[in-house]
Every structure is written in C-alpha cells, then in structure tokens.
Amino acid sequence: MNPLENIKMAVKTLTANKLRSTLTVLGIVIGNASVVAMIGIGQGAQNFAQESIESLGSNLLYVFMDGQESEVGTGDPPQLLLSDAEAIAAQAPAVKLVSPIIASSLTVNYQSRTTRATVQGVTPDFLLVRNMLVRTGRFWDEVAQQQDTTVVVLGAELSQKLFNRTNPIGQEIQIGDRSFQVIGVLQRKGGALGVNPDVNAFIPITTMANQLVGRSVPGGISIDEIEISAKDQASIRAAAFQVTNILTRLHGKQDFLVMANKSVQDLLGQITGALSILLAAIAGISLLVGGIGIMNIMLVSVTERTQEIGLRKAIGAPEQSILQQFLIEAVILSIAGGIIGISIGVGSAVLVGVFTPLKPTVPFSAIVLATGVSGGIGLIFGVVPARQAAKLDPIVALRRS
C-alpha cells in the first residue's frame, strides 16, 4: 500500500470515530491555543511597554540625586540646582535640550471645583523634551519665565476636571495660595510608568521656586530632576558621559544618578520577554499532555483493530506499511488539533487587543513553529502504538480477534 492509500485509510478511520478523534485532539487544541495566545499577548505587552516609554520623549536621560543623606557635620544633603541644568545645556555638545523640573502636589481650585494635582515647574524646552504639543492657547516663553509670571498650562484631563466644557483660556485658577491665569491646554498624552502629564499643571520653574514652594537656596534654585534630550540615539552614551563629568566637577563628587530612557526600555523589554517565554512554556505543558492523550488513544486503537492488523499482515502487508498508517493517523490528529488551536489562539489575541490597551501580534514564525511542534508531537507519541501494531504476529492477532 502506497503512502497516499495509507493517508486515505487513516482519514477514513479517524472520521469513523468522530467523538473519539475530537476528544483526542482536544489537548493539542488547548495547548496550541494557549501557546499562540501567550506569545501574541507577550509580544503585545513588549510593544506596549516600548511605546509607553518612547511616548515620554526620545533619546531621554534623567538626572536626579541618589537619595543618600549627607555625612554627619557636612551640612545640608546634596541637591541639584537650576545652574546645573544651565551648565549642561551650555557645556555638553551631545545634549540637544535640557529641562529642569520642580514638582509638588498642590491644591488647585476653580470656582467651586477643587482637586489635588501635581504641579510642575518647568522651562519652555519641556514640551520639546517630552514630545508634547499645545492643543489650545500657548506655552510661555523665556521672557515670561524670567519675569516670574503667574501663568499656567493645564493637562487635558485636569482641564476637563476643572472647566468641563468651559473654555479655560484666560480664566483664573488658584494654585496653593496664588492666582494663576490659564494660557494653554496640552494635547492628551496618556500615562506611562506612573507618569501622566494629562492630570498635571505646568508653570514657569522660577515662579514655582520663588512663589509656591520656596526653593531658593544659597547656591541658586534647588530642583528635583533634570530631563535631557540627546541629539540622537547614537549620542545617548556620549551625552550621559558628558553630563556625568560636568556635574561631578560642579558637585565635587558623583552624588547623582544618570539614567537613560533606553536603559529602562531595554530592561522592561527583557522582563516582558522573559515573562512571555515563561507563560508560553507553561502553556506548552498542555501540548505534552495532548501528546500523551494521542498515544493512549492510539494504543487503544491498536487493541480494537487487532483483527484488521492481523488480516493485513496475513495477506502480505509489511510492517513498514502498518507502522506508516498508525503514524499518519497520529500526525493527522496532531496537525488538525494544531490548526484549530492556532486559530483559537490568534482569535483570543485579537480579542485581547480589542478590549485592552495591548495590541497583541502573533509572529508568522510562531504559527509555523506551533504547527511543526504539533506534527512532531503526533510523530513522537505515535511511534510506540505504531510499533506495537507493526510488531503484531498475524496468527496471534487473528487468534485474539
């Protein structure tokens, strides 16, 4: 009997026992669906993390103090100064833009509406560093900043909360104990890593330091952090090196930390990638269980078809033909389960993309791999029952029947 005839006979045998065949492939279906869905969701999580970090700004570096207290007897703990940011902007060739920041949680009022929001004192370069745009109104300029003007630009959500459908431009709001004029509203940006500019208010950094939080110190104006945009991706390492050298010289020691946005992105990519592999490996256990199920059913099938095997061998069918037929049946079950499982897995990933912020993507290589693994499982777990059938003695087989 040629292979084509074996395939026809295998299909006929499997379709003759539809319920048993369906239950047999169930484990393979569940396994493949789980693996494909987990790979797709994991890839979606990686993409989501990367996009969220990139949305904060391109080629970013963050500078902040390392949090260690000063030694006993040395006075106040070390701190970043506005002059540090100005020195970086003037002396670091690999740096494109510098944005010093002072942040504080303050009460914001408009008429009867009161909320607590993060108010950030920033410079005009903040928008460019963070890749943010003004939706309505304008942002202040260097002249307004130097004059300590009491103007504010609102995040989209904070504007909605305070003004609802009223046009906020030109209105007066209360921040702390000071009155500020709203001159602009930012485009909605969305949150990432716990940072959501949509719910914040932004005022000139000098106004923040001098009129709201009192950040004037003997060395100048104390700030919380410095956000830096390198000239391009290739300049990030050079920018970090230059910033470290400049601040070490100014502070007399390295009492600060410089962190690249890309480092955070790479770290999150590694974490989500490892979790994806772990989840896919756990889901892959279902494939192993499904393979064992195929082997068990095929062993039962050998017992049930003893007479058929005996007759075929008695009229001259070689062991290879019997072996081939049972292997083909096992592989058909596995591949059929694999195709159904892959379809369910892809569909599940699509549904996750519809109802969550994640956008799962299933690589074609994963589909090919899952199909190959399914066929391989059928081949591997079908060997034992196939060999058992092929080794049956025709006389004994006919006698048992």
Side-chain angles (χ1 to χ4, degrees):
M1 185 178 291
N2 59 45
L4 184 59
E5 289 297 325
N6 271 330
I7 292 174
K8 290 180 179 179
M9 182 174 289
V11 172
K12 184 177 180 180
T13 302
L14 294 174
T15 53
N17 298 278
K18 294 183 178 63
L19 180 59
R20 184 170 70 184
S21 298
T22 301
L23 295 175
T24 302
V25 302
L26 189 59
I28 300 294
V29 169
I30 294 173
N32 275 277
S34 302
V35 169
V36 171
M38 288 302 101
I39 290 175
I41 293 171
Q43 187 66 46
Q46 283 183 290
N47 295 338
F48 180 74
Q50 291 175 357
E51 290 172 2
S52 297
I53 296 173
E54 288 173 357
S55 70
L56 295 177
S58 59
N59 313 324
L60 268 185
L61 293 170
Y62 303 97
V63 181
F64 46 89
M65 303 309 293
D66 63 8
Q68 296 181 359
E69 296 292 333
S70 62
E71 297 178 3
V72 177
T74 60
D76 295 331
Q79 52 196 331
L80 285 174
L81 301 174
L82 183 58
S83 58
D84 292 334
E86 293 169 348
I88 292 170
Q91 301 174 27
V95 169
K96 181 180 179 181
L97 297 166
V98 177
S99 174
I101 295 174
I102 300 173
S104 182
S105 178
L106 298 170
T107 301
V108 181
N109 301 292
Y110 174 70
Q111 295 181 355
S112 61
R113 299 187 182 98
T114 301
T115 186
R116 196 158 187 89
T118 297
V119 180
Q120 291 187 304
V122 298
T123 63
D125 284 341
F126 175 79
L127 290 184
L128 298 175
V129 172
R130 284 285 191 89
N131 289 336
M132 298 175 67
L133 298 173
V134 176
R135 187 183 70 194
T136 56
R138 60 183 177 85
F139 213 75
W140 63 86
D141 56 18
E142 289 289 346
V143 174
Q145 179 170 296
Q146 292 170 4
Q147 295 174 349
D148 285 8
T149 52
T150 52
V151 294
V152 60
V153 175
L154 303 177
E157 290 184 29
L158 180 59
S159 175
Q160 175 70 21
K161 184 180 294 185
L162 291 175
F163 294 95
N164 198 5
R165 297 181 181 179
T166 304
N167 182 11
I169 305 302
Q171 301 292 333
E172 297 284 334
I173 66 172
Q174 198 80 9
I175 301 179
D177 59 355
R178 298 280 181 172
S179 180
F180 286 77
Q181 182 183 42
V182 179
I183 62 170
V185 177
L186 299 179
Q187 281 191 7
R188 191 175 296 274
K189 182 78 170 178
L193 301 179
V195 178
N196 186 3
D198 296 340
V199 298
N200 296 348
F202 304 92
I203 65 176
I205 192 168
T206 50
T207 306
M208 181 79 167
N210 298 327
Q211 300 189 39
L212 281 184
V213 294
R215 286 296 188 90
S216 295
V217 295
I221 294 177
S222 172
I223 61 177
D224 294 319
E225 66 172 301
I226 304 172
E227 295 185 359
I228 299 167
S229 178
K231 289 186 179 297
D232 50 46
Q233 283 281 340
S235 302
I236 292 178
R237 189 181 297 273
F241 179 76
Q242 293 166 10
V243 168
T244 301
N245 284 344
I246 292 169
L247 293 182
T248 301
R249 174 172 51 81
L250 292 174
H251 290 208
K253 59 181 178 178
Q254 190 169 338
D255 53 4
F256 54 88
L257 297 175
V258 179
M259 179 179 292
N261 203 17
K262 191 175 186 307
S263 299
V264 179
Q265 185 175 356
D266 292 342
L267 178 61
L268 278 180
Q270 292 173 6
I271 293 172
T272 53
L275 287 175
S276 298
I277 293 173
L278 176 63
L279 291 173
I282 294 172
I285 295 174
S286 299
L287 285 174
L288 179 64
V289 174
I292 295 173
I294 287 178
M295 182 174 66
N296 289 337
I297 294 300
M298 293 304 295
L299 286 171
V300 171
S301 180
V302 169
T303 303
E304 290 181 348
R305 295 159 63 187
T306 300
Q307 182 180 19
E308 173 196 332
I309 297 168
L311 285 172
R312 290 185 61 188
K313 297 195 73 173
I315 60 175
E319 289 186 4
Q320 182 180 359
S321 178
I322 304 296
L323 178 70
Q324 189 180 75
Q325 181 186 349
F326 278 85
L327 283 178
I328 288 173
E329 290 181 18
V331 170
I332 288 175
L333 287 173
S334 294
I335 292 179
I339 293 173
I340 297 172
I342 289 168
S343 301
I344 294 174
V346 172
S348 300
V350 170
L351 286 177
V352 169
V354 171
F355 294 105
T356 71
L358 301 180
K359 301 300 178 187
T361 55
V362 181
F364 181 73
S365 57
I367 295 176
V368 173
L369 179 62
T371 306
V373 168
S374 296
I377 283 175
L379 190 63
I380 293 170
F381 285 94
V383 167
V384 173
R387 283 180 60 84
Q388 180 175 321
K391 294 295 182 182
L392 280 178
D393 183 274
I395 302 301
V396 175
L398 289 171
R399 186 177 297 168
R400 285 183 186 173
S401 63

